[in-house]
Amino acid sequence: MTTAACRPDSRGMDNLAEFIRGLPKAELHLHIEGSLEPEQMFEFARRNRVSLPFASVEAVREAYAFSNLQDFLDIYYQGAGVLRTEQDFHDLAMAYFRRVAADGARHVELFFDPQTHTDRGLPFSVAAGGLLSGMAEAEQTLGVTSKLILCFLRHLPEEAAFATLKAAEPYLDRIVAVGLDSSEVGHPPSKFARVFKAARERGLKLVAHAGEEGPPAYVWEALDVLQVDRIDHGNRALEDPALVKRLTAEGMTLTVCPLSNLKLCVVDDLRAHPLKHMLALGLRATVNSDDPAYFGGYLAKNWFATAVALGLTREELATLARNSFTGSFLTPTETQAHLAAIDAYVVTES
Ligand code: ADE
Ligand code: ZN
């Protein structure tokens, strides 16, 4: 409980929001298809002559009441059906980058789900080409750098992931990593051991969603079987002290997504979110938005809502910002430059 004397007043809130916005930070867990706003869904549906099962933007928003991950995924895959052309993917990316640049992000590592699009008959190049051109424009016009991560859908067989890796061949010099997303429970990381090994042999970095709804055993598998460089979510790792010890000892980054966790009922109240505890345990946690159009907020809102709910200190916020760069796939020189910018910012703001 915060007492009245300790509760930040509205000026304190403004200062906190301003401090967060100005803090140099990276977003490491963002599904670009999850940035599709209902207004854009209607716009793309109109220009591509796709019919939607919703009468209005409000009706779409009303449908965003989820009890778990699968509830969300069903509507998220349906929404992605309006994306048909390279221009759509370019526009989707640019709309996201404008928002995240306003939130003070300097760098983004974004996921896309090629199978969601190739399974509808779009060539791999439509999503990949549109996103890469949006990323290039965002760097030029907004100064936000980015890297692209290809996610395999884990509810589909490993052979489908192999086919996707093959389709990605012409783009592998512009894709930094492969990831693993979609329905977690029942689809353990070990199901994708061989395709992750093939990706590693091609020089790609590796990440995987683990411990969002799945048990700590899935996080162990992501580490030991897939040999990932980062864990996406990782909340349920806290149930296993030996796993926490392993993650801290290795300095493994966890890309935590607080508003997503709230919306998908991973936590029932943001005040019960484990982020502050993760930091106290020495875990390299970061804050991210996951699917911001569906979960109620982009990067800065995730930071702000969590900071307020958990009473995060400026020192903890600065640690989260540092973690977002040390956990990124930027070069050590690039990372150092961002860390120096954080240090300079924290000194001037305190
Ligand atoms: N795809 C998009 N968002 C996801 C999430 N939070 N978990 C698993 N798969 C996803
Ligand atoms: Zn995710």
Side-chain angles (χ1 to χ4, degrees), residues 19 23-24 278-280 282-287 303 313-327 339 342-343 346:
F19 177 77
L23 189 58
M278 287 172 162
L279 293 177
L283 288 164
R284 188 178 284 174
T286 60
V287 171
W303 279 67
T313 64
R314 288 191 174 202
E315 201 37 64
E316 286 169 323
L317 294 169
T319 298
L320 289 165
R322 289 188 191 98
N323 291 351
S324 74
F325 290 107
T326 49
L339 295 180
I342 294 170
D343 289 345
V346 170

Side-chain angles (χ1 to χ4, degrees), residues 3-22:
T3 64
C6 302
R7 205 176 299 134
D9 58 18
S10 67
R11 246 193 68 213
M13 290 294 188
D14 288 349
N15 288 344
L16 176 63
E18 226 173 272
F19 177 77
I20 288 171
R21 219 165 280 281

Side-chain angles (χ1 to χ4, degrees), residues 31 69 72-73 76 181-182 209 212 233 290-291:
H31 301 262
L69 175 59
F72 154 69
L73 290 171
Y76 159 86
D181 67 0
S182 192
H209 283 52
E212 179 184 19
H233 295 293
D290 206 2
D291 300 283

Side-chain angles (χ1 to χ4, degrees), residues 29-34 69 72-73 76-77 111 113 151-154 180-184 209 212-213 232-233 257 260-261 264 289-291 295:
H29 187 150
L30 176 278
H31 301 262
I32 195 65
E33 295 91 345
L69 175 59
F72 154 69
L73 290 171
Y76 159 86
Y77 293 132
F111 300 126
D113 288 339
C151 273
F152 300 123
L153 297 181
R154 68 201 304 161
L180 190 62
D181 67 0
S182 192
S183 323
E184 186 181 7
H209 283 52
E212 179 184 19
E213 287 188 344
D232 295 314
H233 295 293
C257 305
S260 161
N261 293 158
L264 299 185
S289 69
D290 206 2
D291 300 283
F295 299 152

